[in-house]
């Protein structure tokens, strides 16, 4: 007699025995008869219909399950097999045989979906940008990933260092939490210098959350959160290559290589190298438009998937980034004196380790726990003319998350504990600053989903900062869908963060302004309390159909109000940069209207308009925050032919921006109160071939618009009036580029 037949006989005996032994439980055996003989089925799911009471079968196919009063229908399921539902009356044991599902022919469903859009099923207002969206532009790094997205602004901080900073809801980048796979990504020193540290070709998707996000990710987000999903071993191509070159000589090569190692492990290696070896001065002001630069960036990441619910991933990152800018005649080997040309140097090294480990309970996919950790050390050596700024930062982050349900899957919760350590040493000319923060805390987030038209998310976390004391962070999100095509989202909550005032405002170092501190509040850190703000938001998303074509309308309103904030005052005197604590009001109002519509088959249109009111009480009174456009409009066309030619064209109009007061300068070094409004156009053509190849060519700033006289007193770089920080427009002209992509799946 075959072993399997013996086993079934034994199990049958157990069934009879159980009839007399387990009055309040149900015993059963699950088998399959795929080969014509009954075989026990290990790992099948068994649960009472409409409840969360369930179990899984053991290696011999058996199970015990307690009876429940709410249901007498038992569901037995297993991947690849047709599920069975059995009515249980007075029997104490059952035997169930599952049959393989019939394989259907592949069905291809075609529908329209924009390459970026609000995640319709999410309770939090989150926009997801897919890889297709990122490929619309050259997208060399994270700062250039938003050229076709109207929600996030990216601007140069000054005219000499090549540093870019993002803005969301009119607030500068450090008010936006930038995470990598929901762990701290670009923060601390990297919040100002790090946007170029994430190559665009490494990015799989980006999620942009306006307003306060989840309390699970911490208390630091004020204006929003940008989460970057990098290419992972479990979903990456076997090989992906990207090469890029532009007319200034900037050259990049990116490699992503994925390999399976056994049944449970897989690894992906991401490598980036870039160089800009040439000098370029299109506006003839004697300064490089871009600093000469080189960067080497490397990640090795591993993922583990066990058979009993364990999942994990681990990785290391190494980065070295160097930039040399300033006057075209500057040589870094020269002694830095007022008699030699003005130079700028930024040199960063960063070593990072990260990991996640999680466990999903068998048969209870809603129940799991996970542990995240991230640690890095970063060193920055920099100078701007005679201003020196060196900094070292060490950071450790850990987060334990447990999630489950309360009664049924309509009531979910996440809870956990977190701890972070942040040590910063800074030397700014003769000023030495050191700061160590230990932050420990706990959080709880409850989600109610009636599985129809309402999602409610209530979250709170309590943290203790060793320098600033307790931090309480409440947040609430509501999503209501009165119709299948309509979603209304409301959000409210607070955010708190420590401002790194030198590194976040390094643009003032690229000037002759004297840096001053006043209205100090504490002996901790820089002498200022943490920034704290409240954010309130409304989002309405409406899908529509017009002329047999689909479209989506999104309307946003957000209000952010600061209780405390470190203010940089550039208006008091054009030879001073004054850091002071907030006395009075500081707020931001943002309204955005956006339409995505399929004009013709394979021709998509995106239009957006945004209005900002960002106001701060300065020493001289209430003023609009400088260098932020109050109005911005955006149009993007995307068309793809049947033979895989793709055309992308973007037009952006930027309204006038207030310029800090320069009346204390001599007449020739004064600037208008407001900038010009201007229009930028970008375009790209991409051809995708059948064997994994794609090539693209494009042009940025097609109309060659540039901010005139971007550097004040450019011919007297060590004089009292030199200032390269008042940047409101492009500092370089028309730029052509080309590149290729190659992938092996």
């Amino acid at each position: 007699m075959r072993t399997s037949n013996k086993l079934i006989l034994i199990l049958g005996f157990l069934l009879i025995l159980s009839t007399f032994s387990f009055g309040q439980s149900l015993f059963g055996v699950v088998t399959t008869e795929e080969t014509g003989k009954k075989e026990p089925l290990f790992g099948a799911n068994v649960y009472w219909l409409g409840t969360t009471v369930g179990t899984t079968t053991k290696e011999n196919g058996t199970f015990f399950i307690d009876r429940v009063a709410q249901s007498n229908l038992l569901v037995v399921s297993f991947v690849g097999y047709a599920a069975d539902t059995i009515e249980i009356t007075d029997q104490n044991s059952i035997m169930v045989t599952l049959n393989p599902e019939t394989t259907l022919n592949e069905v291809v469903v075609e529908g329209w979906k924009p390459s970026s859009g609000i995640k319709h099923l999410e309770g939090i207002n989150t926009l997801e940008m897919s890889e297709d969206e990122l490929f619309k532009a050259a997208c060399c790094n994270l700062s250039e990933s938003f050229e076709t997205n109207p929600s996030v602004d990216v601007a140069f901080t000054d005219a000499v260092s090549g540093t870019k900073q993002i803005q969301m809801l009119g607030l500068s980048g450090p008010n936006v939490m930038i995470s990598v796979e929901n762990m701290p990504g670009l923060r601390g020193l990297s919040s100002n210098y790090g946007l170029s540290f994430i190559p665009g070709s490494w990015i799989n998707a980006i999620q942009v959350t306006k307003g306060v996000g989840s309390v699970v990710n911490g208390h630091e987000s004020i204006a929003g959160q940008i989460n970057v999903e990098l290419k992972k071993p479990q979903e990456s191509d076997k090989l992906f290559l990207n090469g890029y070159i532009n007319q200034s000589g900037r050259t990049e090569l990116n490699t992503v290589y994925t390999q399976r190692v056994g049944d449970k492990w897989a690894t992906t290696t991401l490598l980036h190298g870039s160089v800009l070896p040439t000098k370029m001065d299109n506006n003839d002001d004697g300064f490089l438009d871009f600093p000469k630069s080189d960067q080497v960036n490397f990640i090795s990441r591993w993922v583990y998937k066990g058979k009993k619910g364990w999942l994990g991933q681990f990785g290391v990152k190494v980065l070295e980034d160097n930039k040399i800018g300033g006057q075209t005649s500057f040589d870094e080997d020269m002694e830095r004196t007022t008699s030699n040309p003005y130079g700028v140097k930024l040199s960063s090294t960063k070593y990072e380790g990260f990991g996640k480990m999680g466990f999903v309970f068998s048969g209870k996919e809603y129940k799991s726990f996970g542990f995240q950790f991230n640690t890095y050390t970063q060193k920055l050596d920099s100078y701007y003319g005679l201003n020196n700024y060196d900094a070292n930062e060490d950071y450790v982050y850990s987060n334990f998350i447990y999630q489950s349900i309360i009664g049924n899957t309509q009531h979910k919760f996440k809870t956990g504990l977190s701890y972070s350590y942040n040590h910063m040493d800074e030397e700014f000319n003769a000023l030495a600053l050191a700061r160590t923060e230990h932050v420990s805390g706990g959080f709880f987030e409850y989600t109610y989903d009636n599985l129809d038209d309402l999602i409610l998310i209530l979250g709170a976390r309590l943290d203790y900062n060793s320098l600033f004391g307790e931090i309480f962070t409440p947040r609430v999100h509501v999503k209501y869908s009165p119709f299948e095509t309509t979603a209304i989202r409301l959000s409210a909550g607070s955010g708190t963060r420590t401002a790194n005032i030198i590194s976040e405002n390094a643009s003032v170092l690229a000037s002759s302004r004297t840096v001053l501190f006043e209205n100090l509040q504490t002996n901790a850190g820089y002498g200022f309390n943490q920034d704290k703000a409240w954010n309130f938001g409304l989002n309405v998303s409406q899908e529509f159909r017009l002329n047999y074509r689909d479209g989506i309308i999104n309307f946003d309103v957000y209000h952010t109000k600061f209780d405390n904030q470190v203010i940089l005052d550039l208006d008091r005197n054009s030879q001073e940069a004054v850091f002071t604590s907030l006395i009075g009001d500081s707020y931001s109002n943002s309204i955005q209207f956006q339409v995505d519509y399929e004009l013709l088959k394979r021709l998509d249109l995106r239009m957006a308009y945004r209005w900002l009111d960002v106001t701060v009480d300065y020493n001289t009174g209430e003023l609009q925050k400088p260098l932020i456009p109050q109005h911005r409009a955006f149009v993007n066309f995307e068309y793809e032919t049947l033979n895989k030619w793709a055309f992308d064209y973007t037009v952006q109009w930027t309204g006038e921006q207030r310029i800090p007061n320069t009346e204390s300068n001599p007449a020739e070094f004064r600037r208008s109160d407001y900038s010009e409004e201007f229009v930028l156009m970008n375009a790209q053509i991409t051809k995708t071939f059948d064997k994994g190849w794609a090539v693209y060519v494009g042009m940025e700033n097609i109309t060659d618009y540039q901010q005139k006289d971007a550097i004040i007193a450019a011919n007297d770089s060590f004089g009292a009036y030199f200032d390269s920080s008042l940047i409101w427009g492009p500092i370089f002209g028309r730029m052509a580029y080309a590149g290729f992509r190659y992938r092996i799946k």
Side-chain angles (χ1 to χ4, degrees):
M1 183 178 291
R2 287 177 59 87
T3 302
S4 59
N5 290 337
K6 290 180 180 177
L7 179 61
I8 298 302
L9 282 177
I10 294 171
L11 295 176
F13 173 75
L14 288 173
L15 284 173
I16 297 171
L17 181 63
S18 68
T19 302
F20 303 99
S21 305
F22 305 100
Q24 298 303 315
S25 298
L26 178 69
F27 173 76
V29 182
V30 180
T31 64
T32 178
E33 209 167 356
E34 193 172 358
T35 60
K37 299 181 179 63
K38 289 187 181 298
E39 301 281 351
L41 199 55
F42 170 50
N45 296 309
V46 182
Y47 59 93
W48 295 106
L49 185 66
T51 77
T52 59
V53 179
T55 186
T56 55
T57 56
K58 298 178 181 178
E59 291 185 4
N60 58 9
T62 63
F63 69 88
F64 279 102
I65 186 169
D66 291 335
R67 291 175 180 273
V68 296
Q70 304 95 311
S71 177
N72 66 340
L73 297 176
L74 190 72
V75 180
V76 182
S77 66
F78 191 78
V79 175
Y81 291 79
D84 198 359
T85 302
I86 305 108
E87 183 178 4
I88 304 298
T89 54
D90 56 352
Q91 63 266 53
N92 291 323
S93 60
I94 60 171
M95 179 174 284
V96 182
T97 300
L98 297 184
N99 296 311
E101 288 181 321
T102 303
T103 302
L104 300 175
N105 293 329
E106 182 180 11
V107 176
V108 178
V109 179
E110 291 190 351
W112 178 81
K113 179 184 177 184
S115 50
S116 75
I118 302 291
K119 299 175 77 173
H120 189 73
L121 298 178
E122 298 288 330
I124 298 177
N125 180 17
T126 302
L127 178 144
E128 179 156 287
M129 301 168 60
S130 67
E131 186 182 68
D132 290 341
E133 178 73 22
L134 300 175
F135 281 173
K136 286 182 177 179
C139 193
C140 292
N141 55 55
L142 181 61
S143 69
E144 293 157 343
S145 301
F146 304 103
E147 291 184 355
T148 58
N149 186 294
S151 298
V152 180
D153 290 332
V154 181
F156 284 100
T157 60
D158 58 74
V160 294
S161 71
T163 304
K164 290 183 176 179
Q165 193 174 73
I166 64 168
Q167 291 178 354
M168 189 188 294
L169 308 182
L171 301 175
S172 59
N175 292 291
V176 180
M177 175 186 282
I178 300 180
S179 59
V180 176
E181 296 170 5
N182 287 311
M183 289 195 289
L186 302 180
R187 63 177 309 285
L189 284 177
S190 296
S191 65
N192 193 53
Y193 301 101
L195 287 179
S196 63
F197 293 173
I198 300 179
S201 299
W202 291 7
I203 299 173
N204 192 48
I206 297 175
Q207 291 103 34
V208 179
T209 300
K210 287 184 178 179
V212 292
S214 168
V215 296
V216 175
N217 299 322
H219 56 74
E220 293 186 329
S221 69
I222 291 176
Q225 179 178 351
I226 295 174
N227 182 55
V228 179
E229 296 287 336
L230 299 178
K231 295 185 185 300
K232 303 179 179 66
Q234 61 269 37
E235 56 191 36
S236 294
D237 298 322
K238 183 176 182 180
L239 175 67
F240 178 78
L241 296 174
N242 169 242
Y244 168 93
I245 187 168
N246 68 17
Q247 72 181 70
S248 72
R250 177 179 167 184
T251 306
E252 300 199 0
L253 181 63
N254 297 282
T255 304
V256 180
Y257 177 68
T258 297
Q259 185 178 18
R260 291 199 171 277
V261 183
D263 295 335
K264 300 178 181 177
W265 289 89
T267 180
T268 294
T269 302
L270 303 98
L271 182 63
H272 164 88
S274 61
V275 62
L276 174 53
T278 57
K279 295 182 177 181
M280 190 171 183
D281 178 20
N282 274 337
N283 58 5
D284 297 323
D285 63 359
F287 281 76
L288 298 180
D289 297 337
F290 305 100
K292 296 168 58 180
S293 63
D294 61 81
Q295 183 185 113
V296 176
N297 205 337
F298 167 82
I299 296 179
S300 175
R301 62 183 307 172
W302 293 72
V303 64
Y304 168 84
K305 185 176 183 181
K307 293 184 178 179
K308 296 185 178 180
W310 285 100
L311 302 167
Q313 55 176 296
F314 312 91
V316 294
K317 301 179 185 178
V318 179
L319 166 81
E320 180 167 342
D321 181 79
N322 299 292
K323 294 183 176 69
I324 297 290
Q327 290 182 290
T328 55
S329 53
F330 173 71
D331 184 338
E332 62 176 315
D333 294 328
M334 289 181 177
E335 185 180 2
R336 286 190 293 129
T337 67
T338 57
S339 58
N340 281 329
Y342 184 97
V344 174
K345 177 182 178 182
L346 296 168
S347 179
S348 297
T349 55
K350 187 173 183 179
Y351 303 96
E352 185 172 355
F354 63 91
K356 297 180 180 179
M357 199 69 193
F359 179 79
V360 180
F361 288 80
S362 180
K364 300 178 179 178
E365 286 74 14
Y366 52 82
K367 186 175 182 180
S368 65
F369 64 81
F371 177 73
Q372 305 171 317
F373 73 91
N374 175 264
T375 182
Y376 66 77
T377 181
Q378 183 173 356
K379 181 180 181 182
L380 170 69
D381 295 325
S382 68
Y383 58 75
Y384 301 74
L386 300 183
N387 281 326
N388 292 306
Y389 177 62
D390 298 329
N392 291 284
E393 182 182 19
D394 299 313
Y395 182 72
V396 177
Y397 166 84
S398 60
N399 197 23
F400 175 81
I401 306 170
Y402 173 75
Q403 64 178 11
S404 186
I405 60 175
I406 303 172
N408 58 54
T409 54
Q410 290 186 334
H411 304 274
K412 303 174 185 175
F413 71 89
K414 293 180 181 177
T415 187
L417 299 170
S418 64
Y419 167 77
S420 66
Y421 162 84
N422 195 186
H423 178 77
M424 183 90 81
D425 281 317
E426 297 171 276
E427 293 183 7
F428 169 49
N429 294 333
L431 180 65
L433 299 163
R435 184 182 86 241
T436 300
E437 291 177 85
H438 297 271
V439 183
S440 53
F443 58 86
F444 186 89
E445 185 177 83
Y446 163 78
T447 301
Y448 170 73
D449 185 347
N450 69 356
L451 307 179
D452 183 16
D453 56 5
L454 179 65
I455 298 176
L456 170 66
I457 302 172
L458 298 172
R461 63 177 300 136
L462 180 63
D463 296 273
Y464 180 78
N465 185 301
S466 58
L467 294 182
F468 302 102
E470 295 85 8
I471 304 169
F472 178 62
T473 308
R475 292 176 181 175
V476 58
H477 299 266
V478 180
K479 179 201 168 194
Y480 175 60
S481 301
F483 310 103
E484 187 177 347
T485 57
T486 306
I488 302 171
R489 293 178 176 84
L490 298 169
S491 65
S494 67
T496 307
R497 71 180 196 92
T498 302
N500 297 292
I501 60 175
I502 302 297
S503 64
E504 292 170 8
N505 299 282
S507 60
V508 299
L509 308 184
S511 72
S512 294
R513 292 176 184 262
T514 300
V515 177
L516 302 173
F517 302 83
E518 67 173 31
N519 293 331
L520 301 183
Q521 300 167 309
T522 175
N523 293 324
Y526 303 95
F528 299 102
N529 288 328
Q530 290 182 296
D531 287 0
K532 180 174 182 180
W534 292 86
N535 184 283
F536 306 89
L538 164 69
N539 166 258
V540 179
S541 176
Q542 176 66 55
E543 298 177 9
F544 66 93
R545 191 167 181 80
L546 176 65
N547 197 25
Y548 306 103
R549 301 288 177 192
D550 293 322
I552 302 174
I553 296 173
N554 273 292
F555 177 71
D556 285 336
V557 180
Y558 283 89
H559 172 72
T560 308
K561 186 178 187 311
F562 283 87
D563 287 346
N564 192 69
Q565 187 180 24
V566 181
I567 304 295
L568 172 59
D569 189 347
L570 299 176
D571 285 278
R572 195 176 306 179
N573 186 310
S574 53
Q575 281 78 59
E576 294 178 351
V578 184
F579 290 101
T580 181
S581 53
L582 176 64
I583 300 176
D585 293 328
S586 175
Y587 60 85
S588 164
N589 295 316
S590 169
I591 298 176
Q592 180 170 310
F593 181 80
Q594 179 174 331
V595 179
D596 288 81
Y597 180 58
E598 185 185 27
L599 271 178
L600 301 170
K601 193 171 181 61
R602 300 184 303 280
L603 174 61
D604 290 353
L605 166 67
R606 178 176 301 153
M607 300 186 298
Y609 166 76
R610 194 196 57 212
W611 174 83
L612 290 174
D613 172 21
V614 187
T615 301
V616 179
D617 263 329
Y618 293 99
N619 180 267
T620 52
E622 190 174 90
L623 293 171
Q624 285 288 310
K625 196 168 184 179
L627 307 177
I628 294 176
Q630 194 166 34
H631 304 276
R632 184 187 176 204
F634 174 102
V635 179
N636 172 256
F637 294 92
E638 176 191 7
Y639 179 67
E640 183 171 357
T641 67
L642 289 173
N643 57 356
K644 298 183 180 178
W645 283 90
F647 302 87
D648 192 89
Y649 175 59
T650 303
V651 181
Q652 297 187 53
W653 169 72
T654 303
E656 61 182 19
Q657 302 164 56
R658 191 180 74 80
I659 298 174
N661 191 339
T662 55
E663 287 194 358
S664 61
N665 283 349
E668 65 269 30
F669 299 139
R670 293 175 189 165
R671 294 293 182 264
S672 303
D673 293 339
Y674 286 87
S675 71
E676 301 173 352
E677 55 187 61
F678 60 90
V679 174
L680 291 181
M681 299 181 190
N682 300 332
Q684 178 175 295
I685 301 172
T686 304
K687 169 61 178 173
T688 301
F689 300 92
D690 291 335
K691 295 186 177 180
W693 285 95
V695 296
Y696 58 88
V697 295
M699 182 171 289
E700 298 172 338
N701 194 2
I702 294 171
T703 57
D704 201 25
Y705 182 83
Q706 297 179 62
Q707 178 181 339
K708 296 176 183 176
D709 300 323
I711 301 177
I712 298 176
N715 56 356
D716 186 16
S717 53
F718 293 100
Y721 308 106
F722 173 78
D723 195 343
S724 69
S725 66
L726 306 185
I727 301 304
W728 48 263
I731 55 177
F732 61 91
R734 185 183 298 118
M735 183 67 68
Y737 63 84
F740 71 90
R741 304 183 187 105
Y742 175 68
R743 66 175 81 216
I744 300 175
K745 294 186 179 294

